[in-house]
Amino acid sequence: MKKLFKCSAIALSALLVAGGLTACGKDDGGGGSLGDNGEYRPSGNGETTITFWGHGDDNETGVFQELVKQFNEKYKGQIKVNYEVKAADTYSDDARTALRQTKASVDILYVGDSDFKRYAGLGYLEPLDDYLKTSKEVVLENMWETSVNRFKYDVNTTTQDGPDAHYWGIPKDIGPTVIYYNETYFNNAGVNVISVAKEDLKAFNDGGKDSRGKTKEEYGIAGDVQEKGYFIDGTQRWFNNQIPMSWEETVALSQHVQTEIRTQTGRNNVYGYFTEWWFNYGWSVGGDCIEYVATDDAAYNGGYWDFTLMDPTKNYIVADDNAEGITINDVHYNAGEIISWQDKLVDTKASNKTIRPELTQAAASGKVNELPSQREAFVEFVRIGADASVAVETGMNGYGICPTPTSLGGDAGKTAAFAKGDLAMLVDGRWNVVNFRKQMDDVYNWDVAPLPQYKTYYTASDTLPAGKKVGDVKVHGIEAGHSGSVALSINAKSKKKVEAWIFAEYIGGETGQTAQSLSGFAIPSQKDLAMDKEIFLQPTQNPKNSIVFVRAAQYETPGDWWYLKDKAWIDDWAGLLNGDVRNGKLTLTDFEKNVKYTRTWDLLKEYTKKN
């Protein structure tokens, strides 16, 4: 299984933290304190006003305006929250400017998962550990680890689990990414939709009903339904919105729906698919864009980062039927776990990386299965987004199923394209649900499905193991993808920290999480709330398959912008990728030769060099 916080591999020398770390609740001009019942409480000496910064669309800000109103009524005479809505496109700059100030102009604010490490290292944020120890509203054990733990960080070792790691914020919510799909387009293209989870396939094949209340016989499916996201049964095409599609299925379905809808409507600007993220492709096979190399080189604090976006070495996963697992490089791996980059290689420092002989022997004996390399996964991602006339690699053109980034024009463009029917499928986060309900419910039927996963299947030419049949999964990667999350963080310079915490509890606890979820744009941080039909799953509203978000919240991790203390190492190559490469002006071979790509190795090494 993919490790969530792989940055925890490094240990660096202590950083000088500007201004030091303020102890929880100390120097609190608001006068709040820890009560006899073990919970923080207002002072009781008059009303303390705190300033809260946020951002969002009209729906989100409307929800927070109501939450602030309710909070102020509850704590009337004790705490009053002044809610200031900031512009989303300048929010990060505004927050950084405010946090630098000697006197706090904001007490509690949103801090993105890409920013908090830098702010924590500069002493701008209040550690929340002591508050969390006593909280009955925000209980870590009840929250998604993939969300709450991304805001835990040791500024001295720059690790997630260092000896002085603190929580620098609590999640406002979590936004997993999924495939949004236009079911009206699917149906018009002759693709029927069923909804059967992997664990329910046997019962469905034995006559049980899917989550939509229909049996296989009622659908008219003749053969057994196997673990496929898209399949053909006789002359009928089927899409299972609870099973991840393979890479090949994703392309085939996109091409089919795109062709059919263009033919039926005469709209040649309709595309089958759009994604702007490579994460689920690389992570599904165990790849990544950076990997840690331990070294005794005196120039570094124990190691440095290698840029592995185009790493050509194959990846390996322990076979599902290998009950004993396997030990590689003195590390034991169980069935279904991918061998780490550090363990699969003979020498991580070598310029020409080679796979450990014992691992290739294990692959030959069937104890582990070979997976594509990170480079192969990245090529697949680029082909997904490239036009059929564009040569991505020698002998490999794009699939022609995605519009170019330029033609869409950014985040707002891609969501608008899906809403108005220019895209049959869109990979994006939970935050779009409210807009799609408003814009699409009266025009299209739409729903959500899991992200693609690397899979191959047994064919008639294979020697079938006992219990396997043609069409069963032969080799698979893991389900993977990224989620977004924003923290509620307290300004370390605030004189009203206890009052700010009480408000953070209100938003991060059941009341705030329920309100955000009912509105549709968020999945709650608490697992039990996320499984509640009325609060989150909302089976009477689109998307009716919201269980996909819940499953994604369990395994989706932060994007590469979270890995290190800032994004300086990403900006150049990502800008080139999302510009000339994805717009078809630059091949991957040229991409690898470009200085914006090659200088990344030098930039990465600066993060762990000794001062």
Side-chain angles (χ1 to χ4, degrees), residues 512-530:
Q513 294 298 296
T514 297
Q516 292 181 77
S517 298
L518 287 173
S519 181
F521 68 85
I523 175 171
S525 298
Q526 285 77 16
K527 298 174 185 178
D528 59 338
L529 295 181

Side-chain angles (χ1 to χ4, degrees), residues 250-512:
T250 303
V251 174
L253 176 59
S254 301
Q255 290 174 335
H256 173 74
V257 175
Q258 176 175 300
T259 299
E260 289 295 314
I261 299 304
R262 285 185 176 186
T263 299
Q264 293 172 21
T265 65
R267 294 172 56 191
N268 289 328
N269 65 332
V270 174
Y271 288 86
Y273 195 75
F274 185 80
T275 183
E276 60 178 312
W277 293 301
W278 61 265
F279 305 126
N280 65 290
Y281 288 92
W283 294 348
S284 181
V285 298
D288 214 329
C289 57
I290 59 172
E291 296 286 356
Y292 188 69
V293 179
T295 181
D296 56 6
D297 188 328
Y300 301 99
N301 287 290
Y304 57 84
W305 293 102
D306 192 352
F307 187 40
T308 56
L309 184 70
M310 302 289 273
D311 175 38
T313 59
K314 294 287 187 179
N315 293 299
Y316 297 86
I317 188 170
V318 182
D320 291 339
D321 59 0
N322 183 353
E324 297 179 355
I326 190 171
T327 299
I328 299 292
N329 195 27
D330 295 328
V331 177
H332 188 75
Y333 291 87
N334 296 316
E337 292 185 330
I338 294 178
I339 312 301
S340 75
W341 184 84
Q342 288 80 8
D343 290 336
K344 75 176 182 179
L345 298 174
V346 173
D347 183 2
T348 57
K349 294 183 287 293
S351 56
N352 293 317
K353 309 289 195 300
T354 56
I355 302 298
R356 290 180 180 274
E358 61 267 37
L359 189 53
T360 56
Q361 293 167 9
S365 66
K367 293 181 179 179
V368 301
N369 291 323
E370 185 180 271
L371 297 173
S373 67
Q374 164 64 19
R375 192 183 199 287
E376 289 170 313
F378 191 73
V379 168
E380 179 69 12
F381 161 72
V382 177
R383 293 187 73 191
I384 284 279
D387 188 80
S389 64
V390 173
V392 173
E393 290 267 80
T394 302
M396 289 186 183
N397 281 25
Y399 293 120
I401 57 176
C402 281
T404 62
T406 297
S407 68
L408 286 182
D411 286 345
K414 68 182 180 183
T415 54
F418 181 72
K420 64 185 180 182
D422 290 346
L423 298 173
M425 289 183 277
L426 169 68
V427 175
D428 218 358
R430 176 72 189 189
W431 50 85
N432 274 323
V433 163
V434 175
N435 288 331
F436 292 156
R437 283 176 179 171
K438 290 179 180 178
Q439 298 177 53
M440 298 181 69
D441 278 2
D442 293 335
V443 183
Y444 299 110
N445 188 18
W446 60 278
D447 214 326
V448 295
L451 297 177
Q453 175 187 6
Y454 178 78
K455 288 186 284 186
T456 63
Y457 304 99
Y458 286 106
T459 67
S461 61
D462 288 316
T463 300
L464 298 176
K468 296 294 183 180
K469 57 182 178 292
V470 172
D472 283 347
V473 175
K474 181 179 181 181
V475 177
H476 65 84
I478 58 173
E479 285 194 77
H482 83 285
S483 59
S485 188
V486 171
L488 294 163
S489 295
I490 296 175
N491 188 341
K493 299 184 184 73
S494 171
K495 303 298 183 182
K496 309 161 187 177
K497 296 186 180 72
V498 167
E499 286 77 9
W501 168 253
I502 293 170
F503 179 66
E505 269 191 315
Y506 190 80
I507 299 300
E510 181 174 350
T511 300

Side-chain angles (χ1 to χ4, degrees), residues 581-600:
V581 175
R582 291 181 57 221
N583 282 304
K585 298 178 180 179
L586 200 68
T587 67
L588 283 181
T589 299
D590 291 333
F591 174 60
E592 289 181 276
K593 295 176 181 177
N594 193 286
V595 67
K596 291 183 177 181
Y597 175 90
T598 58
R599 72 190 296 259
T600 305

